[in-house]
Amino acid sequence: MSFPREEGATRAWAKALALVVLALPLYNPDLFWHLSAGREIWTRGAIPRTDPFSFTMGGAPWVDFEWLFQLVVHAVESAGGLWGLRVFKALLLGLCWFPLAGLLKDRGVSATGRALALAFWAAAGLPQSDLRPDLFSLLFFSLLLRRLDRDEHSWLLSAPLFSLWSNLHAGFVFGLCLYAAKIVALKLERRAVPRALWLEAAAAAVGTLLNPFGARVWEVAVLHGAQGAAISRYIQEWGALSPRRPLQWPLHAALATFAAVAWRRRRELPPFLAITALPLAALTAASSRFGIFFAAAGAALVFIADKKFSVRAGLAGLAALTVLAAFPLSRVTWTRPVADTYVARRAVEFVVREEPVFRDLRLFNTYEWGGYLGWRRPGSKVFGDGRYLFHGQLPEVEAALASAPAFADFVARHRLDAVLIKNYPNRLPTRRRYPDGTEREFLRPWHLFLLPRERWALVHFDDQALLFVDRAKVPAVWLAAHEFRWLRPGDEDALADALGRGEVPADGVRAEASRAAAAR
């Protein structure tokens, strides 16, 4: 038995959890190369066909299959800045819920059940709840899921829908899979497949070709699928779910709930929703990239299959989700439109301030930082960014970081003048022999070995990033004012020993410490 007060509390709590997810700051680093591409398209009046943003792949063929999304976000950012993008993200993500709410209402799920489904949906989509072209795919996927569940068919609608979809994101593949799921479900139910459904599916497939690149968008979609396993070790969201990633904890809970309900109600599952949701659950376990599609189909299946839920059980579930989300959400900086987690904002802003020095340097950057670096430096060239063009760089960079000779070869091969790299905590053992014959072991930072002082000068560091320049490639006066000669992150023990022996000037170290503190 449920009571009005408990049901009201359940609905309010569930909606509050969803609003927290909608209000998250932007944190997807790929957003920034999308903004650069939108700026490029708007400025030049043409969609780029080759890479305009890097010195490593400049001029290489590029199928910019998300060009329309890029124009949209560029327009929003031009009008409202980064805060405008954050608001736009919240509105677009919230809009994605309404088709699912309609589907649940069609199926007789109560207002309280729909509120719990909203919390489930927000929890499952949390790792992907950012401004990315996938949100348009989620919106169209959810609209199509409801239409097919209602047995509505119109080829006049599907062709323009899928044409628009294929110009926004390659997730149109999931939309076509919905048609296949519906046809299989009808066969399992021993129902005839309407001719209108076949026509709509065919029109949808043709619609995907109505874009500036034609069938090549399919090539990119297949390429992404083929590369998934290979790059999952380098890109977090391509990898399998892991309990070591707190932002995924609510998604783990949603998958466990889905599995329990699907098993318990296995004889009562709506065939179309089951055929859609079960593979998406498996894909999501393998890669959180699919979590937002699972969120839609999974929420629909769970709350349609288990309509006789207990309100008190729902409150308990909301409490569990709140606890699971509390830790990752407590680490969010809510007062900024963009979280710094995946962009080296402070280091990039240093480069921007010192643009006259860095303008002509070939600057290496970590894969996910290239988008922000390129966006903040219009007209400059990056080493690489988050586009599929640069997936091949990931194993190359990993191999280069394995040893000093490998890194020296990497630098020579790409003719690098500066290095913007993560502030890895790794330290290596060394021994120092003193004049009296005694020895002492120190753990010293990896960058002293890969980027030796004789050639490389450290000019900026913070808890995320290190920025080195080739001494021979920058003005000596500028270098004297910006180099950290003694203060090196991770080298505190060796520095303290040298200070104690009077081998380095204490005033100089204090001055560098003040400069480093200002950078934070």
Side-chain angles (χ1 to χ4, degrees):
M1 172 179 279
S2 63
F3 302 93
R5 183 175 296 179
E6 288 180 331
E7 290 191 347
T10 301
R11 290 196 292 271
W13 194 348
K15 291 175 183 177
L17 282 175
L19 284 173
V20 169
V21 174
L22 295 181
L24 279 170
L26 307 171
Y27 56 87
N28 175 24
D30 287 347
L31 172 63
F32 295 100
W33 64 257
H34 284 303
L35 288 170
S36 293
R39 179 172 59 198
E40 178 84 1
I41 295 167
W42 180 258
T43 301
R44 298 188 180 277
I47 300 168
R49 304 288 178 146
T50 59
D51 170 38
F53 300 132
S54 80
F55 61 80
T56 52
M57 297 290 289
W62 176 33
V63 178
D64 186 10
F65 58 96
E66 296 158 328
W67 69 272
L68 187 54
F69 169 80
Q70 293 154 2
L71 271 182
V72 170
V73 293
H74 170 67
V76 173
E77 192 274 331
S78 297
L82 294 178
W83 278 104
L85 286 172
R86 183 173 175 181
V87 172
F88 176 69
K89 182 267 297 186
L91 294 174
L92 179 58
L93 184 57
L95 184 62
C96 294
W97 167 249
F98 286 96
L100 295 172
L103 189 159
L104 293 167
K105 191 173 183 179
D106 294 342
R107 288 282 195 156
V109 178
S110 69
T112 302
R114 295 198 298 274
L116 288 171
L118 172 62
F120 178 101
W121 172 82
L126 177 60
Q128 298 293 106
S129 58
D130 201 357
L131 184 52
R132 54 181 73 218
D134 310 54
L135 292 190
F136 281 102
S137 282
L138 175 61
L139 176 61
F140 297 155
F141 179 88
S142 302
L143 287 167
L144 188 57
L145 185 72
R146 185 186 184 192
R147 287 188 66 252
L148 293 178
D149 190 63
R150 289 163 61 98
D151 290 319
E152 294 179 353
H153 313 299
S154 171
W155 66 271
L156 291 173
L157 174 65
S158 68
L161 174 67
F162 275 80
S163 176
L164 178 62
W165 199 340
S166 68
N167 286 280
L168 287 162
H169 186 238
F172 63 81
V173 172
F174 288 97
L176 295 176
C177 288
L178 282 178
Y179 289 115
K182 182 65 176 180
I183 291 167
V184 171
L186 290 172
K187 294 289 188 180
L188 291 175
E189 294 176 293
R190 301 183 183 279
R191 295 166 55 193
V193 180
R195 181 170 175 269
L197 178 59
W198 288 110
L199 285 173
E200 178 172 337
V206 172
T208 66
L209 305 178
L210 303 179
N211 67 81
F213 300 96
R216 294 195 66 194
V217 297
W218 277 94
E219 293 179 21
V220 176
V222 171
L223 178 65
H224 275 63
Q227 288 182 333
I231 65 175
S232 62
R233 62 179 294 183
Y234 306 107
I235 305 176
Q236 179 176 303
E237 68 177 9
W238 285 79
L241 294 187
S242 170
R244 292 178 295 178
R245 297 170 186 157
L247 199 65
Q248 295 179 353
W249 290 350
L251 175 54
H252 282 272
L255 281 167
T257 301
F258 171 83
V261 171
W263 176 255
R264 188 171 68 249
R265 302 288 182 180
R266 59 189 179 279
R267 300 184 188 280
E268 307 162 29
L269 299 178
F272 169 54
L273 294 177
I275 293 170
T276 300
L278 289 168
L280 284 172
L283 284 172
T284 300
S287 171
S288 65
R289 283 182 62 85
F290 305 106
I292 56 171
F293 297 104
F294 162 73
L301 185 68
V302 165
F303 290 90
I304 289 169
D306 198 6
K307 293 179 185 177
K308 296 180 181 179
F309 56 87
S310 160
V311 172
R312 290 184 176 176
L315 286 170
L318 291 175
L321 285 179
T322 302
V323 170
L324 288 171
F327 176 67
L329 295 181
S330 68
R331 302 166 72 184
V332 171
T333 304
W334 295 91
T335 55
R336 296 186 61 87
V338 180
D340 290 347
T341 309
Y342 302 113
V343 294
R345 180 181 60 83
R346 288 161 290 179
V348 170
E349 294 308 317
F350 176 85
V351 173
V352 171
R353 288 196 303 271
E354 306 297 332
E355 185 63 25
V357 172
F358 284 91
R359 182 180 298 117
D360 297 322
L361 301 185
R362 290 168 68 91
L363 171 61
F364 167 81
N365 62 267
T366 301
Y367 173 80
E368 65 266 35
W369 294 348
Y372 187 75
L373 180 65
W375 177 67
R376 286 293 288 121
R377 302 174 69 212
S380 67
K381 303 293 185 181
V382 299
F383 180 85
D385 56 38
R387 288 172 291 160
Y388 71 89
L389 293 177
F390 302 100
H391 288 168
Q393 289 181 347
L394 297 171
E396 180 189 11
V397 172
E398 182 183 59
L401 293 173
S403 69
F407 194 77
D409 179 68
F410 175 78
V411 167
R413 189 163 60 252
H414 291 287
R415 307 193 311 280
L416 300 176
D417 306 315
V419 174
L420 175 60
I421 197 165
K422 290 182 180 179
N423 188 354
Y424 297 108
N426 306 33
R427 295 194 295 171
L428 302 173
T430 63
R431 297 194 69 82
R432 180 178 181 185
R433 187 177 181 87
Y434 297 103
D436 62 3
T438 61
E439 291 186 350
R440 181 179 174 184
E441 183 175 280
F442 292 96
L443 290 174
R444 308 200 69 184
W446 61 273
H447 51 81
L448 291 178
F449 304 91
L450 261 66
L451 294 141
R453 295 172 187 258
E454 294 76 20
R455 177 175 179 182
W456 299 100
L458 178 66
V459 295
H460 171 92
F461 71 89
D462 54 56
D463 58 349
Q464 279 185 305
L466 307 172
L467 178 61
F468 293 87
V469 295
D470 187 329
R471 295 178 181 279
K473 303 296 178 62
V474 297
V477 174
W478 180 89
L479 188 61
H482 292 89
E483 182 183 3
F484 290 91
R485 298 175 60 193
W486 303 288
L487 191 65
R488 296 276 179 130
D491 204 25
E492 292 78 12
D493 292 343
L495 177 59
D497 180 69
L499 275 170
R501 293 174 173 273
E503 297 170 348
V504 298
D507 289 345
V509 173
R510 281 194 291 269
E512 290 187 359
S514 297
R515 188 150 48 92
R520 301 188 187 102

